[in-house]
Structures are given as structure tokens and as C-alpha cells.
């Protein structure tokens, strides 16, 4: 089964992913372009290389992306990669660090350090007083 890549549909997909409207693409392509012409272009299965290069330049996407992107293959790749069996091979670790708990822990450590420093200061003052009495 020979599956043909629809270049016009690919232009539409990438344009939409970038959040660019047909009117904006038409404006970037030049004076002889309008929204209707972009709509017709996106319906074409094959687009001339020179035009693909111009679209590539405007959207900043390689020409090969329009020529080679196949949604079926992408969906197949994704479904194989993220199937139940594949998930055991691609271990994903999620770290759930609660920032409030971390702040409280750091605060408690700071208080404990401060209390130790006060205790050491009191001990040092006591020793100094004993030395002065002699």
C-alpha cells in the first residue's frame, strides 16, 4: 500500500501549530497572495518546490518537513512508543516535591542552628566570666 504524503495538508498543520492564520501567511508570501489562495494551496497534494521553499522560509520550517511528514506514521510511532508494554521500557520518574514542605524544613533547620549558636554563646560567656573571676 503506497501512501502519498499530502504536502498542502502538511503546510496547514504546521501553520496551525505555529498559530499563524491564512491571512498572515498570505501577507508574508507577497502581494499576489490572499487567504483564498492559501486555502486552495492547502488542498493541493503536491506543491512546487520553489513555492515550498518560500513557505519554508516564511514559517522557518525545513522544506523536508512539508515533503516528508506523514501523520499516519507519526501516530503509529507515538502509539508504539507509548503503548502499555513500551511504558515499562521507558521508565518515567515523577518527582513530587512540595515547596512549602521544603521551606518549612529549611526554616526548622535554621532555627535549630540558631539555638545551637545561642547555646554555644552562653557557654562561651560562662567560661569567660569564670576566667575573669580568677
Amino acid at each position: 500500500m503506497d501512501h502519498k504524503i499530502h504536502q498542502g495538508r502538511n503546510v496547514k498543520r504546521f501553520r496551525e501549530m505555529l498559530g499563524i492564520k491564512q491571512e498572515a501567511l498570505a501577507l508574508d508570501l507577497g502581494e499576489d497572495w490572499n487567504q483564498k489562495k492559501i486555502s486552495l494551496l492547502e488542498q493541493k497534494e503536491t506543491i512546487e518546490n520553489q513555492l515550498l521553499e518560500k513557505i519554508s522560509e516564511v514559517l522557518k520550517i525545513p522544506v523536508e518537513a512539508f515533503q516528508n511528514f506523514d501523520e499516519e506514521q507519526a501516530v503509529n510511532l507515538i502509539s508504539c512508543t507509548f503503548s502499555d508494554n513500551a511504558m515499562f521500557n521507558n521508565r518515567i520518574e515523577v518527582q513530587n516535591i512540595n515547596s512549602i514542605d521544603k521551606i518549612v524544613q529549611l526554616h526548622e533547620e535554621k532555627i535549630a542552628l540558631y539555638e545551637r549558636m545561642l547555646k554555644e554563646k552562653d557557654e562561651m560567656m560562662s567560661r569567660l566570666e569564670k576566667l575573669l573571676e580568677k
Side-chain angles (χ1 to χ4, degrees), residues 116-131:
R116 279 196 313 272
M117 288 173 61
L118 282 175
K119 184 178 176 186
E120 288 177 12
K121 181 195 79 115
D122 288 343
E123 289 173 358
M124 186 182 298
M125 291 297 289
S126 173
R127 277 184 265 150
L128 285 172
E129 286 174 356
K130 287 180 184 175
L131 283 173

Side-chain angles (χ1 to χ4, degrees), residues 47-61:
I47 300 173
E48 305 80 39
N49 283 338
Q50 186 176 359
L51 180 54
L52 269 181
E53 288 175 12
K54 192 169 184 179
I55 294 168
S56 167
E57 188 177 306
V58 169
L59 296 180
K60 295 176 178 45
I61 292 176

Side-chain angles (χ1 to χ4, degrees), residues 6-12 41-45 47:
H6 197 288
Q7 294 176 350
R9 211 173 298 137
N10 287 344
V11 168
K12 179 179 179 178
L41 171 80
E42 291 176 349
Q43 295 173 26
K44 292 174 72 175
E45 190 168 333
I47 300 173

